Amino acid sequence: MSEHRRKPPESQGGGRAAARRAAQQPSGRRAAPARDSVTESPSGSYGEQRPAGGRAEARRAAQRGGRRRAAEPGGGGPAGPGGRRGGTGPGNRRPGKKRFIDYPRFNKRGWRRWMPSWKLVSGLCLGFLSTLVIVIGIAYWSVSVPNVAQAATAENNVYYWSDGSQMVATGGEVNRQIIGYEKIPAAMRYAVISAENKTFETDSGVDPQGIARALVNMAKGGHTQGGSTITQQYVKNARLDDQSQTLTRKFKELFISIKVGATKKKSEIMAGYLNTAYYGRGAYGLQAAARTYYSKDAQNLDASQCAFLASLLKGATYFDPAGATEIDPAATPQQNTKNAMNRWAWILDEEVKDGHLSAAERAKYKTFPMPDKPKKNAQLSGQIGYLVSLSKAYFVNNNTQGITAGDLDQGGYEIHTTFDKKKVQALEDVVKKVRKKNIDPKKRPEYDTFVQFGAASVDTKSGAIKALYGGEDATKHFTNNADQTGAQVGSTFKPFVLAAAMEYGKRDPKGPKDQGESERTPVSPKSIYSGMNKLKIKNYDGSVWTNEKGEQWLQTNDGNESYNKPSYAIDLRYAMQESANTPYVQLGMDVGTDKVRDVALAAGLRKDSLASSSVPSFSIGTSSPSAIRMAGAYSTFATSGMHHDPYSVEKVNKRGRAVYQHDDKATRAFSAAIADNVTDVLKNVVEKGTGTNAKLSGREVAGKTGTTDGNRSAWFVGYTPQLSTAVSMYRLDDNETNKKREFLKMFGTGGQEKIHGASFPSTIWHDYMDQALNGVPAVDFPTPEAIGDKVYGGGMSPSPTPSPSPSGSPSPSGSPSPTPSLTPSPSPKPTKSCGKWDWNCGGPGGPGGTDAGTDAGTDQGTTTGDTSGPSGSPSPTRSKPGNASQGNIFGGPTG
């Protein structure tokens, strides 16, 4: 044993007091005990001696003693409640009183320290409920019940021209009127109760489940939902001071609904709801709706008419038989009429189930009560109505604050549009001049009836719509002809085929494949294709294209003209100049019509306006984009491939607060080299081809004519570096009673043998642009860089003795393009000077002798079961004129 080992101290007595003092000494500062001091063992008998083991042993002994002392009545142990010398809590706490909030628990160990006591839980619950009651009480007393009279006060929306001057101030087209409960037909009250809130007469006015659904939906980022009870809907309608779609508003409406339900009679709530509800067509309140839809007072409505008006409360956009395609392309008159008839019948049936209508009375109403046609505000005559309608639709479909058409119709908004007053007036004047001079339904009823023009002009640098022509008068002709009408665009679609060829390239049927895709060769405008009429169209691999019936496709050119006999070889530049169909149909097959579709979409056309790309004729314009979209898409070429989506609203304010500001989000559709080469080719069309009638003195112009199969529509779309404009012409019986909505042929229209894009449309374009650009400095297009390779398609092969391109214009690289010998038959030169209106002067070529009759741009192909030629069998399935989905360029579930 080491001589340094401590010997056990001798007992010196002292009892419990000495042991307590020894245990309470701090571990680091404890005085050394005497050798013969007495140590108390917590687990042994009192006074038993025990050898000391140093400080560690003393600490353990003190802790054991503390636990034992704590267990004794009135004892706290030598180290306090926690058992540790010098502590202040459950583990280190000195003895003392409990805290007011005993958490963590004062005298518990382990997980029990963190388990709240029932007293703590009940206290917290009581405090929370008390606070909630106070908050609810304050909220309840702070909100006020809506004032129906104030809610019915009409406000105007003010529309402004692009220069800031006022265009028109218009609110709801029918003044809001309040009527007493006694003048509301019982049939109307019962129809609304059966359709909207069956428990209205007994409920408290608040639907907790409906509120929960609305809150969850908002939390998920979905659309907000209206109140579930009539009381809640009334509160929502009446709160015109706050139309925001926020959680704060929802909570306010909840408390207001509770207060209304507690303080108002059911009759007052019902009258308030029906007097503030929106029924569409600018009508707020039942009396205004009765006058708008049935030209009678509300008290004279029958049960059938009441059921229809009640159906409008579900959403007039989708239940008004007049349609609302300017808001949603799907809300056509046909679809809305179907929706309204179904809901009308359902409401009447529900009234019978609820005991509000007898079966005998219900049996009387077998015919749907078709409402009157919309009445147009005189302020919205001429072009103003089209401008207001387009601006309203754009704002409703593009604002991020959930402002609906109904909210907008409540008034109080300042809408600053992009429309240039002078340009709008100039475009309308030019169209009127052409119509007055050439279109005479009385003189030529068979040919000149139902003639329609549409046009749109877009700023190339921003996409702002500067002007449009929607029709003769918005109060008489309801369809906006500048918007999507269903008129096919014909050969004005060919630039997208050329752009796709340069972007993606011609597929090589013999080259190696990478992941199933053939190698591609970028195409130059100098590439050679066949200009032969009735060309047999082939797939890119050389096999003959056939439809699902095994029928081949023979593509024709306008006038059945073949180019450059006997070789038929022409380059793509010349083919665009003369608007030859066969080269571009075959080019589309070589590139892939799906790629052509992709380029058209990238340039700005909408997906729902494009026809099926499964047939070869897709490449020559079977699609039906709007004039607005065509002008916007051609702007993409003007800006070297940068696309700016067309828009009509710059900003919107409400009572001095900004609620919308346009954000220009330009995207690159394709490279500058592609866009500039397309522009260079389209310049040639105006300088030497079918578009010469659109030349502007001292300005560079690029554009394309288009005429469709059967001469059912004609287009001219062109642009300068600053402004892009599209003009369409067609014949369409747009009468609402005409369910077929058929586009009519224009042979003989305006005294012309055939209407081309080079005739009336290009003249309108020229005269408008000449005025619109007056005083604007002339700017040249960028010089295009060389692009792609000279490829041979449609069975063409390099000629051993190439000759210059018939276009006679320099190639993008600045050197002539060697091509096979070309011998197109030129039109005879006129022997006299030709006037602007003499398109047939000097022969079929039109002014200057150019061939204005070769721009047929849709399906003029024929199908045959063999190679001998057309057999008169049906053409491949394709989109028919007028069958494209209708609607505005901004709205709806679409692209």
Side-chain angles (χ1 to χ4, degrees), residues 498-500 502-504 637 670-679 787:
L498 180 59
M502 291 187 282
E503 171 77 18
Y504 295 102
F637 298 130
F670 25 76
S671 70
I674 292 174
D676 294 343
N677 272 275
V678 170
T679 293
I787 190 172

Side-chain angles (χ1 to χ4, degrees), residues 135-361:
V135 171
I136 291 176
I138 294 173
Y140 180 85
W141 291 109
S142 64
V143 297
S144 59
V145 174
N147 185 330
V148 179
Q150 182 180 1
T153 301
E155 282 190 273
N156 284 330
N157 289 321
V158 182
Y159 292 81
Y160 296 90
W161 295 103
S162 60
D163 63 1
S165 61
Q166 182 172 311
M167 177 195 301
V168 65
T170 176
E173 295 173 8
V174 179
N175 289 330
R176 303 166 186 169
Q177 303 173 46
I178 300 174
I179 57 175
Y181 181 79
E182 68 282 356
K183 292 185 178 181
I184 297 175
M188 186 66 193
R189 302 197 303 267
Y190 292 141
V192 172
I193 289 173
S194 292
E196 303 282 334
N197 184 191
K198 292 180 182 293
T199 62
F200 168 71
E201 295 178 333
T202 59
D203 63 33
S204 63
V206 175
D207 177 15
Q209 292 182 345
I211 295 172
R213 285 194 304 270
L215 295 177
V216 170
N217 197 43
M218 282 193 294
K220 291 181 178 179
H223 294 292
T224 58
Q225 298 173 334
S228 299
T229 69
I230 288 176
T231 303
Q232 289 174 261
Q233 293 181 58
Y234 160 54
V235 169
K236 177 181 181 297
N237 294 340
R239 295 193 64 230
L240 297 182
D241 60 318
D242 182 9
Q243 290 298 316
S244 60
Q245 302 294 323
T246 62
L247 289 174
T248 301
R249 172 180 168 153
K250 288 294 179 184
F251 280 117
K252 286 182 179 179
E253 288 179 1
L254 170 63
F255 291 120
I256 296 173
S257 298
I258 294 173
K259 193 166 188 176
V260 168
T263 60
K264 293 287 186 179
K265 297 178 181 179
K266 291 293 183 179
S267 59
E268 293 180 271
I269 296 173
M270 175 60 76
Y273 172 56
L274 295 178
N275 277 318
T276 58
Y278 181 63
Y279 296 82
R281 300 190 189 180
Y284 278 88
L286 181 61
Q287 175 66 9
R291 299 299 305 174
T292 298
Y293 288 94
Y294 293 111
S295 301
K296 60 172 63 176
D297 291 329
Q299 59 186 348
N300 297 325
L301 295 168
D302 61 32
S304 178
Q305 293 167 336
C306 288
F308 164 70
L309 293 179
S311 71
L312 293 174
L313 299 176
K314 183 75 172 176
T317 297
Y318 301 100
F319 291 91
D320 182 355
T325 53
E326 71 277 6
I327 301 299
D328 188 339
T332 62
Q334 296 79 9
Q335 184 59 50
N336 278 20
T337 299
K338 181 179 179 181
N339 295 344
M341 292 177 69
N342 290 339
R343 188 162 178 82
W344 162 79
W346 175 80
I347 290 175
L348 290 174
D349 292 340
E350 288 299 302
E351 288 186 74
V352 174
K353 291 180 183 179
D354 298 336
H356 300 316
L357 185 68
S358 67
E361 182 73 9

Side-chain angles (χ1 to χ4, degrees), residues 98-158:
K98 294 182 180 179
R99 293 167 297 175
F100 178 74
I101 299 178
D102 186 22
Y103 193 82
R105 301 281 294 279
F106 178 77
N107 58 351
K108 299 295 182 181
R109 287 185 160 277
W111 63 270
R112 291 181 178 84
R113 290 185 62 209
W114 308 101
M115 180 63 67
S117 66
W118 68 269
K119 292 181 180 180
L120 182 60
V121 172
S122 59
L124 289 175
C125 290
L126 182 61
F128 175 76
L129 291 175
S130 300
T131 303
L132 185 61
V133 168
I134 294 173
V135 171
I136 291 176
I138 294 173
Y140 180 85
W141 291 109
S142 64
V143 297
S144 59
V145 174
N147 185 330
V148 179
Q150 182 180 1
T153 301
E155 282 190 273
N156 284 330
N157 289 321
V158 182

Side-chain angles (χ1 to χ4, degrees), residues 7-11 34-45 47-54 56-58 60-62 64-65:
K7 294 181 181 180
E10 297 179 2
S11 175
R35 278 187 168 276
D36 54 354
S37 63
V38 178
T39 303
E40 178 183 339
S41 173
S43 58
S45 58
E48 182 180 353
Q49 290 186 353
R50 178 173 179 156
E57 182 61 29
R60 287 193 294 272
R64 287 194 295 271

